Amino acid sequence: MLRAGAQRLRGLPLPRLPLPGLLGRPRSTCSRGEENPPLSAETRWKDRAETVIIGGGCVGVSLAYHLAKAGMKDVVLLEKLELTAGSTWHAAGLTTYFHPGINLKKIHYYSIKLYEKLEEETGQVVGFHQPGSIRIATTPVRVDEFKYQMTRTGWHATEQYIIEPEKIQEMFPLLNTSKVLAGLYNPGDGHIDPYSLTMALAAGARKYGALLKYPAPVTSLKPRSDGTWDVETPQGSMRANRVVNAAGFWAREVGKMIGLEHPLIPVQHQYLVTSTIPEVKALKRELPVLRDLEGSFYLRQERDGLLFGPYESQEKMKVQDSWVTSGVPPGFGKELFESDLDRITEHVEAAMELVPVLKKADIITIVNGPITYSPDILPMVGPHQGVRNYWVAVGFGYGIVHAGGVGKYLSDWILHGEPPFDLIELDPNRYGKWTTTEYTEAKARESYGFNNIVGYPKEERFAGRPTQRVSGLYKILQSKCSMGFHAGWEQPHWFYKPGQDTQYRPSFRRTNWFEPVGSEYKQVMQRVGVIDLSPFGKFNIKGQDSIRLLDHLFANVIPKVGFTNISHMLTPKGRVYAELTVSHQSPGEFLLITGSGSELHDLRWIEEVAVRGGYDVEIKNVTDELGVLGVAGPQARKVLQKLTSEDLSDDVFKFLQTKSLQVSNIPVTAIRISYTGELGWELYHRREDSAALYDVIMNAGQEEGIDNFGTYALNALRLEKAFRAWGSEMNCDTNPLEAGLEYFVKLNKVTPEKIANDCFRPMLFDNLENLYYPKPSLEWFSKCVHRPAASMLLQDLLEIQVV
């Protein structure tokens, strides 16, 4: 039951579905004058477009604005109903510089800086308020989390401080600070009116030449063999060079048009708006946005009242699963669901305890609208693997603060052929065929309910696990270890012995896996260990152009038949897009290996280059077909030699060699390599043979004291050897020299023909220190350089005389 002060809430008339138009849309605090009038859609039509954006919410309109402003011609946005229909119009509009991720803060930062100047640029009022925000810590572990986040804040220009309860009370005088230990304060945070923001972005998009059409629902998407798209609407058809799905809770329907099942699910999010509260009205300055992390709610000033938005637990929150099974109801756009105060009772009570003036507040609006979640609550942004020129910007749980930055990020990627910085955590290709509807719903529930839980290092979340993606060792190992989740796979993080604490106990300090991981480290250093590496991404590439393709893709040379090397795919500006091992198994046939989290990320890049260059190759993803066991340590050779007739001596089976052989009559592809830096092999085999192979190796190694080890020990071992890891020591933020990869980048491998193909691309000159081309010959330039301006530029850059 609600306490006495909240009885008014229970008797409040609730809005019913449908709620047409903008009824219930809260207006911005302290706004003056009339709201922005709606911008009418244009009547003209185009038969051709460079980019078609599907969806007129804040994200889609932001992308249209940024592409057009950057100079792209023929940008067309198609909206099913009207701009902001969907999740944008009813959003609470919060903006914050804070994010626990390093590069996602760049998205937040850009958005806020854009919103600060958007009104001046477009002439459209945006209702942007920046009173700052405070995250409240009421437990010691939450204070630890704040300290952890403060160690990461130096990466960015944004201000962030830990403040004492006295300072919090001064900034938010209506607060009961009896349980408050500290606050994490971000100046410049605040909130913006989502409707006005979208209309301002739309005005800017039109100003720079974009065409915004609505109502213009997309009824059909058809890819063409040349990579372009036929886009059908009731108003006519359009040929597009690329399509961007930014359709919000309609994104699944758009994906289904081309046979894709985007892992998205709408959840119901509620917030309340109070009438005027005298104590709020009497304040001389706007209150900062408050986030009570233990109470799991946000609270901000809305004119002379308060706006309160909770995140219910995964048991109480509601998923609109009927939309997943039966589709979004036709015509649903600016409607709301029926409110349900019983679901948020405990959050209301927590809010009234923290801000007592809420006890006597009346509520004038209850909003319960759909927000689309991905399984991990992060959006899906970028090009999609397996479909040419199809991009997505979907799954935004926090679309308002992401809209500006994502529009800029995608615009830069589309225009320049590579992402401006690394955001693999948003890569739509982090999900695959293993991502079922049941998994998506379970994870969306978990992610929504965990909105405000403590964010630990090495955090694991367990809903929806395991998926179908388990190795052949899962049943054998699951009772012996703590499993981690890697792109759908279960992989041992660390193993426990009898009497040891087996629970998952995350911490900001040493936890229960510290000693076991140390033992595993010693096991590999002193004896021999076995690790399940099945989650590796694995690709077979063969065909008459396979060597040419890989030579174009990788900065390293192509290994000889029977050998392996470590190679890197570099972006046009010389950034490290991926790291793989390349094994030349037979003439023209290769096995490529990448990390589990990079599987489809890397495959998309390889496929795109192969298609664009017209290479005659066959590319096959064999990740789910092959299991991998790593055997490493000074006794690794002795153990494996018992099981094979192949000579494993150092003179015969050299480092970085690869051979097909039999291990106790089980066929394997053995590569002499180990990420531990110790003597070792990786054994690639049929997934169904994993259990048998593991069993014979463990039995053969009893005399040598063989044992298991997990990825935590593997990481410690590779760090000790200074082995780099993609995503940690290198990514799209670094060039190879910054990452210490000069050994793997062969500066003399690029031919003059390649320069001929690339030299007039504008992006070539953006970052000259990252170019690895040798100086071409005078004779070559006399043949291929014709334009005087380009000739002079190349002469200056490459310090050769051009004739």
Side-chain angles (χ1 to χ4, degrees):
M1 292 292 292
L2 294 173
R3 294 196 300 224
Q7 289 299 324
R8 292 193 190 93
L9 306 186
R10 187 176 293 279
L12 187 76
L14 304 180
R16 304 284 175 174
L17 180 104
L19 185 65
L22 291 176
L23 293 179
R25 183 174 65 83
R27 291 170 291 178
S28 295
T29 308
C30 305
S31 59
R32 295 290 182 264
E34 295 297 320
E35 293 181 347
N36 299 330
L39 296 171
S40 59
E42 299 183 48
T43 57
R44 60 194 174 102
W45 182 259
K46 289 187 176 182
D47 296 325
R48 298 284 311 210
E50 178 67 25
T51 299
V52 166
I53 302 163
I54 304 173
C58 58
V59 174
V61 177
S62 173
L63 178 57
Y65 162 84
H66 282 94
L67 284 174
K69 186 175 181 178
M72 179 178 283
K73 306 299 182 184
D74 298 324
V75 177
V76 178
L77 182 145
L78 301 175
E79 162 54 38
K80 181 181 180 69
L81 298 170
E82 58 180 291
L83 299 185
T84 77
S87 297
T88 296
W89 75 272
H90 61 72
L94 299 181
T95 58
T96 178
Y97 285 115
F98 176 84
H99 196 280
I102 294 295
N103 275 355
L104 264 171
K105 277 190 174 181
K106 295 180 180 179
I107 296 292
H108 289 217
Y109 182 86
Y110 179 88
S111 291
I112 291 174
K113 293 304 179 186
L114 171 66
Y115 301 165
E116 287 176 348
K117 63 184 181 182
L118 197 57
E119 182 174 330
E120 179 182 353
E121 178 183 353
T122 66
Q124 296 283 319
V125 175
V126 296
F128 193 21
H129 301 264
Q130 296 181 274
S133 75
I134 307 172
R135 285 170 166 77
I136 299 295
T138 56
T139 64
V141 71
R142 192 69 74 172
V143 177
D144 283 349
E145 181 186 22
F146 289 178
K147 292 177 180 178
Y148 173 69
Q149 289 302 328
M150 286 302 298
T151 66
R152 301 159 68 85
T153 194
W155 286 72
H156 301 278
T158 59
E159 293 181 86
Q160 183 170 290
Y161 310 99
I162 293 179
I163 57 177
E164 301 295 326
E166 294 76 17
K167 182 65 176 178
I168 301 172
Q169 181 79 70
E170 177 187 332
M171 298 173 67
F172 201 113
L174 307 181
L175 198 67
N176 172 13
T177 60
S178 61
K179 296 182 180 179
V180 175
L181 301 179
L184 193 65
Y185 173 52
N186 290 94
D189 284 10
H191 53 96
I192 194 168
D193 176 29
Y195 179 85
S196 300
L197 167 65
T198 308
M199 292 306 169
L201 289 167
R206 289 191 178 97
K207 173 183 176 181
Y208 298 116
L211 172 64
L212 278 58
K213 292 292 295 183
Y214 52 91
V218 173
T219 56
S220 173
L221 281 177
K222 294 180 180 177
R224 299 172 59 88
S225 59
D226 62 356
T228 61
W229 291 84
D230 285 332
V231 184
E232 301 284 346
T233 79
Q235 297 191 27
S237 62
M238 185 178 297
R239 181 74 52 80
N241 289 346
R242 75 182 53 78
V243 170
V244 183
N245 182 350
F249 56 65
W250 293 97
R252 293 184 72 254
E253 273 72 9
V254 173
K256 285 181 178 180
M257 292 179 185
I258 57 173
L260 294 178
E261 288 284 344
H262 294 310
L264 301 167
I265 198 162
V267 303
Q268 294 188 14
H269 178 63
Q270 300 186 100
Y271 64 82
L272 319 174
V273 183
T274 75
S275 61
T276 295
I277 299 173
E279 292 86 347
V280 175
K281 186 175 182 179
L283 295 171
K284 299 193 182 303
R285 63 182 180 187
E286 185 177 348
L287 292 168
V289 178
L290 203 67
R291 290 176 174 86
D292 180 6
L293 303 176
E294 306 309 321
S296 193
F297 65 82
Y298 56 83
L299 185 77
R300 70 166 175 83
Q301 188 171 339
E302 177 68 12
R303 294 196 171 183
D304 292 330
L306 294 172
L307 184 151
F308 161 76
Y311 291 96
E312 308 103 271
S313 67
Q314 55 184 310
E315 294 79 21
K316 289 188 176 182
M317 59 85 67
K318 188 169 183 180
V319 169
Q320 199 64 23
D321 46 15
S322 64
W323 289 17
V324 177
T325 56
S326 305
V328 182
F332 192 99
K334 287 193 171 180
E335 292 78 29
L336 294 174
F337 301 119
E338 181 176 349
S339 301
D340 184 359
L341 287 174
D342 289 338
R343 294 209 318 256
I344 62 173
T345 299
E346 61 186 275
H347 304 281
V348 172
E349 293 181 344
M352 290 190 301
E353 182 177 354
L354 191 67
V355 184
V357 297
L358 281 171
K359 294 179 181 179
K360 46 188 178 178
D362 292 319
I363 295 178
I364 57 172
T365 304
I366 303 176
V367 174
N368 184 15
I371 299 177
T372 306
Y373 268 36
S374 70
D376 62 7
I377 207 173
L378 292 174
M380 301 165 63
V381 176
H384 202 287
Q385 185 272 329
V387 191
R388 291 178 65 190
N389 298 319
Y390 175 76
W391 297 61
V392 297
V394 297
F396 288 87
Y398 311 102
I400 303 304
V401 73
H402 285 156
V406 165
K408 172 65 172 171
Y409 175 82
L410 273 181
S411 172
D412 285 352
W413 193 345
I414 289 170
L415 290 167
H416 301 304
E418 63 179 277
F421 50 88
D422 179 68
L423 275 180
I424 194 172
E425 62 265 48
L426 304 191
D427 187 2
N429 307 299
R430 67 189 186 271
Y431 301 113
K433 294 179 180 178
W434 53 270
T435 317
T436 63
T437 300
E438 293 75 19
Y439 170 84
T440 300
E441 178 173 346
K443 297 304 287 188
R445 283 186 172 277
E446 178 185 60
S447 295
Y448 186 89
F450 283 5
N451 245 288
N452 291 307
I453 68 164
V454 175
Y456 291 102
K458 299 185 182 296
E459 180 187 57
E460 287 291 321
R461 296 187 177 184
F462 297 96
R465 296 170 54 181
T467 72
Q468 65 184 23
R469 226 177 192 195
V470 293
S471 79
L473 300 183
Y474 178 71
K475 292 182 179 179
I476 296 173
L477 300 179
Q478 63 174 323
S479 63
K480 303 176 182 179
C481 67
S482 176
M483 290 282 186
F485 190 73
H486 298 260
W489 296 90
E490 300 289 331
Q491 186 174 27
H493 275 175
W494 59 278
F495 288 82
Y496 33 75
K497 302 296 183 186
Q500 291 181 334
D501 184 359
T502 64
Q503 300 302 308
Y504 169 68
R505 301 192 187 283
S507 175
F508 294 101
R509 295 173 171 79
R510 287 183 180 175
T511 185
N512 56 334
W513 53 258
F514 182 77
E515 295 297 337
V517 170
S519 297
E520 293 172 29
Y521 169 92
K522 292 178 181 177
Q523 174 72 32
V524 177
M525 290 287 288
Q526 299 172 2
R527 293 181 289 277
V528 58
V530 177
I531 184 170
D532 184 7
L533 299 173
S534 297
F536 279 166
K538 318 167 194 81
F539 317 129
N540 276 138
I541 297 183
K542 61 182 179 180
Q544 67 177 25
D545 290 338
S546 60
I547 293 177
R548 287 182 57 240
L549 170 63
L550 298 188
D551 194 45
H552 176 80
L553 277 168
F554 291 111
N556 206 345
V557 296
I558 303 303
K560 297 177 182 179
V561 175
F563 283 86
T564 296
N565 71 13
I566 298 168
S567 296
H568 300 85
M569 295 193 295
L570 306 183
T571 71
K573 292 184 180 180
R575 302 287 169 167
V576 186
Y577 186 83
E579 178 183 74
L580 300 91
T581 59
V582 179
S583 298
H584 202 160
Q585 296 180 295
S586 62
E589 184 169 355
F590 297 86
L591 176 65
L592 274 58
I593 308 299
T594 188
S596 57
S598 303
E599 175 194 347
L600 300 183
H601 169 271
D602 295 359
L603 181 61
R604 185 204 64 80
W605 185 276
I606 294 168
E607 291 174 337
E608 181 179 310
V609 171
V611 170
R612 190 172 63 238
Y615 294 95
D616 184 4
V617 294
E618 177 186 332
I619 303 170
K620 185 178 180 182
N621 186 357
V622 293
T623 299
D624 290 340
E625 299 174 20
L626 299 181
V628 190
L629 285 182
V631 183
Q635 300 298 317
R637 179 183 285 114
K638 187 175 181 181
V639 172
L640 290 176
Q641 192 65 80
K642 299 177 187 179
L643 301 170
T644 182
S645 59
E646 185 78 31
D647 187 350
L648 302 183
S649 65
D650 191 57
D651 291 337
V652 177
F653 203 145
K654 300 179 183 297
F655 180 57
L656 293 181
Q657 269 194 281
T658 175
K659 295 183 180 183
S660 295
L661 50 85
Q662 300 273 324
V663 174
S664 189
N665 296 319
I666 299 172
V668 305
T669 297
I671 304 175
R672 192 180 151 192
I673 192 173
S674 177
Y675 205 31
T676 65
E678 303 299 319
L679 173 67
W681 279 262
E682 291 175 359
L683 307 177
Y684 293 80
H685 56 275
R686 295 182 307 171
R687 189 168 162 187
E688 55 267 33
D689 290 338
S690 291
L693 182 62
Y694 173 82
D695 188 55
V696 297
I697 292 173
M698 296 301 285
N699 287 333
Q702 292 302 303
E703 184 178 344
E704 288 75 23
I706 198 169
D707 208 345
N708 298 292
F709 70 104
T711 58
Y712 284 3
L714 177 68
N715 195 50
L717 288 158
R718 71 97 184 165
L719 281 169
E720 183 185 61
K721 311 305 191 301
F723 289 177
R724 277 64 166 171
W726 197 94
S728 296
E729 288 77 40
M730 58 177 141
N731 56 24
C732 290
D733 298 334
T734 53
N735 67 47
L737 301 183
E738 290 171 325
L741 301 176
E742 53 266 38
Y743 176 81
F744 304 100
V745 177
K746 307 308 179 185
L747 304 182
N748 59 351
K749 68 167 285 187
V750 182
T751 64
E753 288 76 16
K754 176 168 173 51
I755 300 178
N757 290 332
D758 291 347
C759 67
F760 295 115
R761 293 164 64 189
M763 68 185 71
L764 181 65
F765 305 112
D766 288 352
N767 199 358
L768 292 173
E769 70 270 19
N770 293 327
L771 297 179
Y772 301 107
Y773 298 147
K775 293 180 180 178
S777 67
L778 175 67
E779 181 180 3
W780 173 78
F781 266 112
S782 68
K783 294 178 180 178
C784 80
V785 177
H786 305 294
R787 287 181 284 182
S791 175
M792 292 175 61
L793 179 61
L794 289 168
Q795 177 175 307
D796 290 340
L797 293 174
L798 300 175
E799 298 177 355
I800 67 170
Q801 182 179 0
V802 180
V803 294

